[in-house]
Amino acid sequence: MIPAYLSELFKPQQYDANNFFLIAGPCVVESEELVMEIGEKVSGICRNLGIPYVFKASYRKANRTSASSFTGIGDDNGLSLIKKVGDTYQLPTTSDIHAHDEAAMAAPYIDILQIPAFLCRQTDLLLAAADTGKIVNVKKGQFLSGPSMKFAVDKIKLAGNDKVMLTERGTTFGYQDLVVDYRNIPWMQEHGCPVIMDCTHSLQQPNQTTGVTGGNPQLIGTIAKAAIAAGADGLFIETHPNPAIAKSDGANMLQLDRLEPLLQELVRLRKAIV
């Protein structure tokens, strides 16, 4: 399902209306060169495959395991570069916000405000995001079920904003792992929202004693294919030319040159089930 408020964002793009949409980009803005390279390459791939595309990068990482972890290049610089990617390649853009006062700050630069999973119950954050009038994408908390996300949706809609999306990103399984319950895709669609599968963060192995989050990126394709088969409206995939040197979430990201063959498979799968 691509609702009207998303279709408006995708208007400059040529795409198959029956296709899934893609949210993709690096975990965090590291440099202008990085975001422009990824924006150019992914937009070209998606244009060729008829996939509507939203560029994603975090302008700041507020939730890091270690105090010494990279958090960004500065809010203004990060947001300005995200906007530059969108303007240059005619793409809608998204980034996370972490506190209620960030909503109004970020809204002029991006089209979709993303609410991190750990913060999906923060009422003041949800209301501030709703008040901007932007699309709000709420990631399901690792500690919540799909049906319980109706309360996050209700908070945003009661604030007068019907432009809500939900993202499944796995459920805590013990101290250092996550599992994906694909029942959450149809359950969250019952809230009247498009549902996105986060194929990278659902493979995190958090809380490692090294201070760096681990992951299983070799399973991104498995997660993505199962999500398409389960009827997900969109996919979220973080990607980087060289994840080994990425400054955030390198253990979870898909290497950029592996994205196109995976998307080709997923488009064929989508056509087979629609």
Side-chain angles (χ1 to χ4, degrees):
M1 174 180 71
I2 300 181
Y5 55 79
L6 267 179
S7 297
E8 287 298 311
L9 291 184
F10 295 136
K11 266 190 174 177
Q13 303 182 44
Q14 299 296 316
Y15 64 90
D16 180 351
N18 291 318
N19 223 337
F20 58 90
F21 61 91
L22 178 69
I23 300 174
C27 181
V28 65
V29 176
E30 299 178 19
S31 67
E32 180 172 353
E33 293 74 20
L34 177 75
V35 295
M36 296 302 287
E37 175 186 357
I38 293 175
E40 179 182 23
K41 289 189 177 179
V42 180
S43 62
I45 293 167
C46 288
R47 184 167 54 250
N48 291 338
L49 294 175
I51 300 171
Y53 172 46
V54 178
F55 176 81
K56 180 269 168 187
S58 294
Y59 63 88
R60 171 159 43 99
K61 298 303 293 183
N63 176 22
R64 303 306 311 274
T65 302
S66 170
S68 63
S69 297
F70 178 78
T71 59
I73 61 173
D75 292 352
D76 289 342
N77 288 336
L79 284 165
S80 295
L81 287 175
I82 294 169
K83 187 175 189 302
K84 182 175 181 178
V85 174
D87 291 344
T88 302
Y89 301 111
Q90 292 189 290
L91 300 171
T93 58
T94 186
S95 192
D96 328 67
I97 58 172
H98 320 90
H100 69 277
D101 56 350
E102 291 182 37
M105 176 190 74
Y109 296 90
I110 58 179
D111 301 289
I112 301 170
L113 297 176
Q114 181 173 288
I115 308 299
F118 280 127
L119 301 176
C120 68
R121 287 167 50 96
Q122 296 298 108
T123 301
D124 60 346
L125 179 58
L126 294 172
L127 296 182
D131 286 344
T132 67
K134 296 285 185 171
I135 299 170
V136 183
N137 177 24
V138 187
K139 287 196 167 186
K140 181 187 75 63
Q142 300 92 322
F143 43 86
L144 292 175
S145 69
S148 67
M149 286 298 290
K150 80 172 290 292
F151 300 106
V153 174
D154 288 347
K155 289 175 184 179
I156 295 167
K157 289 188 174 181
L158 288 171
N161 187 338
D162 292 330
K163 297 181 286 188
V164 189
M165 306 193 299
L166 295 174
T167 295
E168 165 63 32
R169 52 96 72 234
T171 302
T172 299
F173 186 71
Y175 289 115
Q176 295 173 318
D177 208 355
L178 298 166
V179 293
V180 176
D181 181 351
Y182 287 93
R183 296 176 299 176
N184 283 323
I185 293 175
W187 280 342
M188 290 197 292
Q189 286 170 333
E190 291 176 4
H191 304 322
C193 304
V195 173
I196 301 146
M197 181 73 232
D198 184 338
C199 303
T200 44
H201 292 97
S202 60
L203 290 167
Q204 281 184 329
Q205 293 177 313
N207 307 318
Q208 301 296 309
T209 56
T210 60
V212 179
T213 296
N216 288 292
Q218 71 276 12
L219 294 174
I220 289 173
T222 301
I223 296 291
K225 292 171 193 174
I228 292 297
D233 302 290
L235 298 177
F236 179 110
I237 300 176
E238 287 187 337
T239 185
H240 193 285
N242 186 356
I245 64 169
K247 295 184 178 180
S248 178
D249 270 0
N252 309 300
M253 285 194 279
L254 183 69
Q255 191 162 309
L256 184 57
D257 62 9
R258 297 178 181 174
L259 180 63
E260 185 170 16
L262 173 59
L263 291 177
Q264 289 171 340
E265 285 187 73
L266 295 172
V267 168
R268 290 196 293 271
L269 178 59
R270 177 73 169 201
K271 288 178 178 178
I273 66 173
V274 169

